[in-house]
């Protein structure tokens, strides 16, 4: 018997639909669990224990801390839904933290949130949700998902200040068809209002700001912890290959950085290149930062190749604006991005995400990792 599609695009009554909600303990995922419960879905809340925090980390503005797990449990109890805690510390260490450390040592600027989504969240949690025979995995990400004919497309959230599509570019087609993002059509203040109406104890809880395993934003301390010998002094050179200073370790620098170089010159100096093999930092003026051509590796496509013949936009950093570009797809999951206007501070290890505008908004076509 066929029913009209329910609110998450599945041909079942909500009461016959089982959903797993990834509950981080914050207001967004808690509100999603509340919405699903109120609409009559069979809800299973799952919280991931991803790292073993110390006392300093536990009180910082981070996600997935011990307090967050406690908050998620309280929300689940108040909603009268089943709640499970999965202990993924080893998976998280291997899939996210190790990658983060190695990326910095290679002179890159990594994005651990993408790795977290693509490993423990959308792989291991995805598989576990399937084992539970859930019809969908629901998260509190600010992304629009539109499902028609059993295929889900991803769009930027209507709240551009909260949009998280950049961090989800590496989602596979199989994962995307199983995932749902109910908050993509809400502004953040609307989410908090819903949480208050649902009488959730986290309605006024501040948003997490730091990377979960990086206390107070000090990523260098994390690298020192896992790679104590990584802080090696080296030369700082200008574009004429002249030594102009000494650095205390390349992990302290990113492309486009100005502060912390500690070299006086007739004009401000910026990091324009990091050479991990020579353990060198290359500096230049602001005009040397601009780049119009970007080379990508490990490209993940969510759109059809024919869509790339039309006008394409890209984002080269999570907080960046949409840039006009032409994409040349190459073999072996590589691509060349040709920007219409030069962009400063493009860094290896960051993502370049593809968008195309249509009547429903900005559709995510995938993206790749910047290798310059």
């Amino acid at each position: 018997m066929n029913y009209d599609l329910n609110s998450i695009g599945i041909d079942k009554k909500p009461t016959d639909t089982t959903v797993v909600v990834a509950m981080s303990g914050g207001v967004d995922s808690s509100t999603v669990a509340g919405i699903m419960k109120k609409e009559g879905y069979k809800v299973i809340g799952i919280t991931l224990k991803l790292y073993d925090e110390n006392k300093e980390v536990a009180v910082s503005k981070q996600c997935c801390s011990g307090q967050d797990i406690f908050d998620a449990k309280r929300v689940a109890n108040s909603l009268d839904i089943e709640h499970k805690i999965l202990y993924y510390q080893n998976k998280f260490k291997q899939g996210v933290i190790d990658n983060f450390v190695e990326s910095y040592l290679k002179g890159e600027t990594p994005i651990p949130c993408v790795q977290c989504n693509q490993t423990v969240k959308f792989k291991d949690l995805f598989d576990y949700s399937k084992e539970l025979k859930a019809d969908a995995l629901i998260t509190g990400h600010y992304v629009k998902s539109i499902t028609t004919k059993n295929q889900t497309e991803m769009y930027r959230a209507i709240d551009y200040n909260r949009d998280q599509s950049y961090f989800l570019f590496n989602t596979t087609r199989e994962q995307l068809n199983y995932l749902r993002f109910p908050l993509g059509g809400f502004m953040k203040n609307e989410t908090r209002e819903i949480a208050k109406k649902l009488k959730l104890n986290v309605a006024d809880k501040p948003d997490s700001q730091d990377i979960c395993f990086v206390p107070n934003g000090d990523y260098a301390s994390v690298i020192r912890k896992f790679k104590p010998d990584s802080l090696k002094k080296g030369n700082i050179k200008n574009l004429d290959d002249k030594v102009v200073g000494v650095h205390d370790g390349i992990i302290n620098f990113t492309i486009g950085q100005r502060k912390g170089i500690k070299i006086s010159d007739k004009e401000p100096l910026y990091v324009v290149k990091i050479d991990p093999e020579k353990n060198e930092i290359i500096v230049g003026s602001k005009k040397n930062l601009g780049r119009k051509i970007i080379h990508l590796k490990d490209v993940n496509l969510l759109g059809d190749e024919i869509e790339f013949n039309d006008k394409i936009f890209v984002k080269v950093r999570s907080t960046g604006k949409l840039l006009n570009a032409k994409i040349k797809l190459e073999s072996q999951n590589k691509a060349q991005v040709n920007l219409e206007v030069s962009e400063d501070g493009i860094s290896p290890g960051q993502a370049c995400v593809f968008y195309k505008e249509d009547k429903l908004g900005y559709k995510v076509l995938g993206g790749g990792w910047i290798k310059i």
Side-chain angles (χ1 to χ4, degrees), residues 99-100 103-104 106-115 166-167 169-170 211 219 253-256 274 291 294-299 314-320 335 337 343-354 366-372:
N99 178 278
F100 176 86
S103 187
Y104 263 113
K106 290 189 291 187
E108 299 175 342
T109 306
I111 317 174
C113 293
V114 174
Q115 296 294 342
Y166 179 86
F167 299 103
F169 83 91
N170 224 10
I211 298 170
Y219 65 84
F253 298 87
T254 58
I255 301 296
I274 299 173
R291 183 176 293 274
I294 311 170
H295 297 283
L296 306 180
K297 63 180 180 179
D298 300 329
V299 170
V314 301
K315 284 184 73 172
V316 295
R317 58 182 62 86
S318 61
T319 57
V337 178
E343 180 72 8
D344 291 347
I346 295 173
S347 176
Q350 294 283 290
C352 177
V353 182
F354 313 143
W369 295 103
I370 297 172
K371 66 174 184 178
I372 300 294

Side-chain angles (χ1 to χ4, degrees), residues 211-248:
I211 298 170
C212 64
F213 59 92
V214 180
N216 303 313
D218 185 7
Y219 65 84
S221 68
V222 175
I223 300 171
R224 285 194 297 269
K225 175 182 177 181
F226 292 101
K227 295 281 187 177
D229 60 345
S230 61
L231 287 175
K232 296 179 180 178
K233 292 183 180 292
N235 289 327
I236 300 176
K237 292 184 175 181
N238 62 21
L239 293 170
D240 294 323
D241 203 37
K242 178 183 176 182
V243 176
V244 294
V246 175
H247 67 78
D248 291 324

Side-chain angles (χ1 to χ4, degrees), residues 10-65:
I10 295 175
D11 189 17
K12 284 184 176 182
K13 289 181 178 179
T15 51
D16 295 329
T17 307
T18 299
V19 297
V20 165
V21 177
M23 298 180 66
S24 67
V27 63
D28 297 326
S29 61
S30 298
T31 302
V32 167
I35 291 172
M36 292 292 100
K37 172 68 175 182
K38 187 175 180 180
E39 292 183 2
Y41 292 91
K42 298 177 181 177
V43 181
I44 303 172
I46 294 183
T47 302
L48 305 180
K49 173 72 171 173
L50 298 179
Y51 64 96
D52 295 309
E53 72 276 4
N54 55 32
K55 291 182 180 179
E56 288 74 22
V57 175
V59 297
S60 68
K61 297 178 181 178
Q62 297 162 295
C63 67
C64 307
S65 69

Side-chain angles (χ1 to χ4, degrees), residues 188-324:
K188 178 70 178 195
N189 63 314
E190 293 178 306
T191 300
R192 290 198 181 276
E193 285 302 314
I194 294 171
K196 289 176 182 177
K197 289 179 181 178
L198 293 170
K199 298 181 179 179
L200 302 181
N201 60 287
V202 294
D204 294 317
K205 185 176 179 177
D207 293 330
S208 58
Q209 298 176 355
D210 297 331
I211 298 170
C212 64
F213 59 92
V214 180
N216 303 313
D218 185 7
Y219 65 84
S221 68
V222 175
I223 300 171
R224 285 194 297 269
K225 175 182 177 181
F226 292 101
K227 295 281 187 177
D229 60 345
S230 61
L231 287 175
K232 296 179 180 178
K233 292 183 180 292
N235 289 327
I236 300 176
K237 292 184 175 181
N238 62 21
L239 293 170
D240 294 323
D241 203 37
K242 178 183 176 182
V243 176
V244 294
V246 175
H247 67 78
D248 291 324
I250 63 172
I251 66 170
N252 294 306
F253 298 87
T254 58
I255 301 296
Q257 180 175 328
R258 179 182 172 186
K259 293 182 179 180
I261 298 176
K262 300 177 182 178
I263 299 172
S264 59
D265 197 68
K266 58 184 178 181
E267 58 183 325
L269 293 175
Y270 298 80
V271 177
V272 297
K273 183 180 178 181
I274 299 173
D275 189 333
E277 292 185 2
K278 295 181 180 179
N279 193 33
E280 293 178 346
I281 300 295
I282 314 301
V283 296
S285 63
K286 187 174 177 59
K287 66 182 180 182
N288 302 123
L289 283 175
R291 183 176 293 274
K292 292 184 71 174
I293 298 176
I294 311 170
H295 297 283
L296 306 180
K297 63 180 180 179
D298 300 329
V299 170
N300 178 57
L301 293 183
L302 292 173
D304 297 325
E305 290 191 22
I306 192 171
E307 294 184 271
F308 289 86
N309 295 329
D310 300 326
K311 185 176 182 179
I312 298 295
F313 299 93
V314 301
K315 284 184 73 172
V316 295
R317 58 182 62 86
S318 61
T319 57
K321 60 185 178 180
L322 293 182
L323 308 171
N324 290 312

